[in-house]
């Protein structure tokens, strides 16, 4: 699902629902034009995005993504496919390496059984201000780590739990801290 356009669309996934995805399905936010994604609500019932059978691709926020948020949500078995060019991840924050970068707020979010990495932050992409209580567990695959930063600062990592993965490490590659 591409969430972008000249009118700056806002795609809202309501609180309290379970949304199943098939193999390769994903949300792509702000890749070519502005777009915004809202999943769940702060203080609302849990929203679950999960695989129907096999893993699903996940969520990619690109440089034109407008302020977005994922709140009170569980993302399960995601990250099996990516057209980002930066590997497999359940959630990707992809900036343009020179100023425009997405910074979605993740609050009370659990990422379970991701493929590759739970969250990757590329080219300035980062967690948004107000992100808190993020849990990434069960990540497996070639890397199997909760977080990967490439030319993005790990200073935005929110409070949370990042254990129970194949590698309980945070990869930081080509970064000025």
């Amino acid at each position: 699902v591409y969430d972008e356009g000249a009118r700056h669309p806002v795609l809202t996934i309501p609180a309290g629902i379970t949304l199943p995805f098939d193999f390769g399905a994903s949300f792509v936010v702000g890749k070519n034009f502005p777009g915004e994604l809202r999943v769940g609500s702060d203080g609302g019932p849990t929203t679950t995005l999960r695989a129907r059978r096999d893993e699903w691709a996940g969520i990619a926020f690109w440089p034109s993504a407008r302020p977005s948020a994922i709140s009170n949500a569980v993302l399960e078995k995601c990250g099996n496919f990516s057209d980002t060019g930066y590997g497999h991840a359940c959630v990707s924050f992809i900036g343009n390496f020179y100023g425009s970068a997405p910074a979605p707020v993740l609050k009370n979010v659990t990422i379970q059984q991701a493929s590759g990495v739970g969250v990757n932050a590329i080219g300035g992409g980062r967690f948004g201000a107000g992100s808190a209580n993020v849990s990434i567990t069960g990540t497996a695959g070639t890397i199997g780590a909760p977080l990967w930063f490439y030319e993005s600062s790990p200073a935005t990592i929110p409070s949370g739990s990042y254990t129970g993965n194949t590698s309980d490490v945070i990869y930081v590659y080509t970064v000025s801290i």
Side-chain angles (χ1 to χ4, degrees):
V1 175
Y2 279 81
D3 179 9
E4 59 186 17
R7 294 189 177 163
H8 307 206
V10 178
L11 176 59
T12 302
I13 308 301
I17 69 165
T18 296
L19 189 59
F21 292 87
D22 280 325
F23 180 84
S26 66
F27 287 119
V28 177
V29 184
K31 186 172 184 177
N32 303 296
F33 296 97
E36 181 178 337
L37 178 65
R38 299 279 169 182
V39 176
S41 66
D42 195 11
T46 301
T47 301
T48 303
L49 307 179
R50 64 173 182 78
R52 182 184 314 266
R53 288 178 291 274
D54 295 322
E55 297 171 328
W56 62 290
I59 302 170
F61 294 95
W62 289 85
S64 293
R66 298 182 49 84
S68 297
I70 302 173
S71 303
N72 293 339
V74 175
L75 287 74
E76 293 180 344
K77 291 188 175 182
C78 46
N80 72 341
F81 172 81
S82 173
D83 68 351
T84 66
Y86 298 102
H88 296 201
C90 184
V91 179
S92 296
F93 310 142
I94 305 159
N96 63 9
F97 294 90
Y98 60 87
S100 293
V105 174
L106 274 65
K107 190 171 185 182
N108 301 319
V109 173
T110 298
I111 297 173
Q112 303 178 146
Q113 300 172 335
S115 180
V117 297
V119 173
N120 67 3
I122 310 297
R126 62 196 175 277
F127 287 94
S131 292
N133 194 29
V134 174
S135 174
I136 303 174
T137 187
T139 304
T142 306
I143 298 171
L147 301 163
W148 174 283
F149 290 83
Y150 174 62
E151 292 195 23
S152 289
S153 175
T156 63
I157 297 172
S159 62
S161 174
Y162 304 99
T163 62
N165 303 285
T166 299
S167 298
D168 286 334
V169 300
I170 297 170
Y171 282 95
V172 180
Y173 183 73
T174 313
V175 173
S176 297
I177 299 176

